Amino acid sequence: MNEHLHEATIAGLQEAMRRGDLTSQQITHDYIAAIHALDWDGPELRSVIEINPDAEAIAAELDRERAAGHVRGQLHGIPILLKDNIDTDDKQQTTAGSLALLGSRPAQDATVAARLREAGAVILGKANLSEWANFRSTKSSSGWSARGGQCRNPYVLTHSPCGSSSGSGASIAANLAVAALGTETDGSIVCPSGRCGIVGLKPTVGLTSRAGVVPISHSQDTVGPMTRTVADAAAVLGVLVGVDPRDAARAKASSWPIIWHTSMPTACRRAHRHRAHRLLRYTPRDRRRDRGDHRGAAQCRGRCRRSGGRTLRGQQRGRRRGVRGAAL
């Protein structure tokens, strides 16, 4: 494996591309080579069901955008895997790991996939999973699907990778991508993340859209990032969050305050770096007012004081008193 892929982070790859040491096309090519060497050959982790045949071409186009001075954001040119129950309107299949859906074609991208594309991410391929996200039997094997076979834990090949986002977890642990999306109904992000030693974030239902995701439960399903670092999880989550009329839970959340400190402008985050563990209340009205350059950290501090500078715990107490909010 190329050294620049070992334990790579989004920020590290962005800096390498900024300096001109790497290109998105080179990074994508090297990840594809790693998948062939470790996932389909070698130890055969079976964490990736398929590779996007257009991935390198997409990466090359994003390199041309960068060369022209247009960088869309933190995910520009970054290869990301999607669990195989997330729709993509491209040459890839979306089957939830089942042969029953092989050859079917979604009408459009899942909202989370569309948001990643808009942010400049390269959809690298589809990750293996417990077939139908493990909603098929009381005696199923975590990480097994008819399409992908048995996904393996990269640390101990004979141990369970847990599921159902098994491939998303195993691929990140094995450095086959810098980030992946998983889905969770009951433990399907947090369990494989724990077993594979990575960061998995299960958002509150309604924080990210489920439109275009093969469903299990409308009251529990959610989509979240699986990465090696908390900073990378934050970067991916920041792109996924947004109102979506295609998802009733996400459309209803349009009036909720966003409690996510990485949404704040740089100057605002700098003002709070000494207490960065606090998730401060930041509303859509604040976001609109802060378009462009921030007017100073003092203004930010004043606004946070007016909102009570609430921590996540404080906001949860407020919700019990009838204050609505979207929490991580």
Side-chain angles (χ1 to χ4, degrees):
M1 176 178 290
N2 289 285
E3 289 186 7
H4 59 262
L5 299 186
H6 182 69
E7 301 298 299
T9 64
I10 290 173
L13 292 177
Q14 285 293 353
E15 177 60 19
M17 287 189 284
R18 186 193 67 79
R19 292 196 309 263
D21 296 340
L22 292 172
T23 65
S24 177
Q25 186 175 17
Q26 181 183 351
I27 293 167
T28 302
H29 174 83
D30 289 346
Y31 273 130
I32 290 173
I35 291 169
H36 281 285
L38 298 176
D39 206 73
W40 296 356
D41 295 318
E44 295 185 0
L45 296 177
R46 301 192 185 110
S47 65
V48 180
I49 283 184
E50 71 176 297
I51 294 169
N52 183 358
D54 294 328
E56 290 193 60
I58 293 168
E61 179 59 33
L62 290 166
D63 285 334
R64 285 190 283 271
E65 284 189 20
R66 184 184 295 273
H70 179 211
V71 177
R72 302 187 194 185
Q74 295 182 76
L75 300 188
H76 188 107
I78 298 295
I80 295 180
L81 288 167
L82 305 187
K83 188 176 177 179
D84 186 41
N85 60 349
I86 299 173
D87 285 348
T88 54
D89 183 18
D90 54 18
K91 295 176 183 177
Q92 298 178 94
Q93 303 278 333
T94 303
T95 66
S98 172
L99 297 178
L101 292 182
L102 199 60
S104 64
R105 186 179 181 88
Q108 62 188 100
D109 278 340
T111 299
V112 290
R115 287 186 177 277
L116 288 174
R117 291 190 202 274
E118 291 168 8
V122 177
I123 296 181
L124 181 62
K126 294 294 184 75
N128 199 4
L129 71 163
S130 306
E131 188 172 316
W132 296 112
N134 227 7
F135 196 66
R136 55 181 290 273
S137 170
T138 57
K139 297 180 180 179
S140 60
S141 173
S142 284
W144 181 88
S145 72
R147 261 195 90 197
Q150 178 62 57
C151 179
R152 297 177 174 181
N153 188 314
Y155 287 102
V156 185
L157 296 178
T158 56
H159 285 206
S160 171
C162 204
S164 64
S165 303
S166 317
S168 299
S171 61
I172 299 306
N175 292 291
L176 304 183
V178 71
L181 293 193
T183 67
E184 175 161 335
T185 305
D186 182 18
S188 293
I189 290 176
V190 296
C191 183
S193 296
R195 291 288 183 90
C196 295
I198 65 169
V199 175
L201 195 155
K202 181 222 171 184
T204 298
V205 173
L207 189 63
T208 58
S209 172
R210 292 90 48 86
V213 178
V214 178
I216 292 179
S217 167
H218 70 89
S219 61
Q220 291 180 243
D221 292 348
T222 190
V223 182
M226 300 174 72
T227 62
R228 276 185 294 279
T229 69
V230 173
D232 285 355
V236 176
L237 182 66
V239 168
L240 302 182
V241 172
V243 178
D244 181 14
R246 295 173 61 201
D247 181 352
R250 192 65 198 102
K252 186 171 63 177
S254 60
S255 62
W256 293 3
I258 303 295
I259 310 174
W260 183 239
H261 69 281
T262 57
S263 300
M264 296 182 180
T266 303
C268 184
R269 292 200 302 272
R270 193 181 305 121
H272 293 284
R273 64 180 180 269
H274 62 286
R275 51 195 176 108
H277 64 284
R278 303 181 98 181
L279 297 176
L280 303 171
R281 186 167 181 251
Y282 196 61
T283 66
R285 180 180 178 183
D286 293 328
R287 190 189 300 275
R288 289 193 296 273
R289 183 165 56 187
D290 284 328
R291 285 174 181 162
D293 292 333
H294 198 275
R295 287 195 287 270
Q299 182 183 15
C300 172
R301 287 195 296 270
R303 181 163 65 254
C304 291
R305 280 196 298 271
R306 289 194 297 276
S307 69
R310 294 174 182 164
T311 61
L312 177 59
R313 183 176 298 174
Q315 182 69 6
Q316 289 172 330
R317 285 198 298 267
R319 289 231 305 279
R320 288 197 289 271
R321 300 189 190 104
V323 178
R324 299 180 70 183
L328 299 179

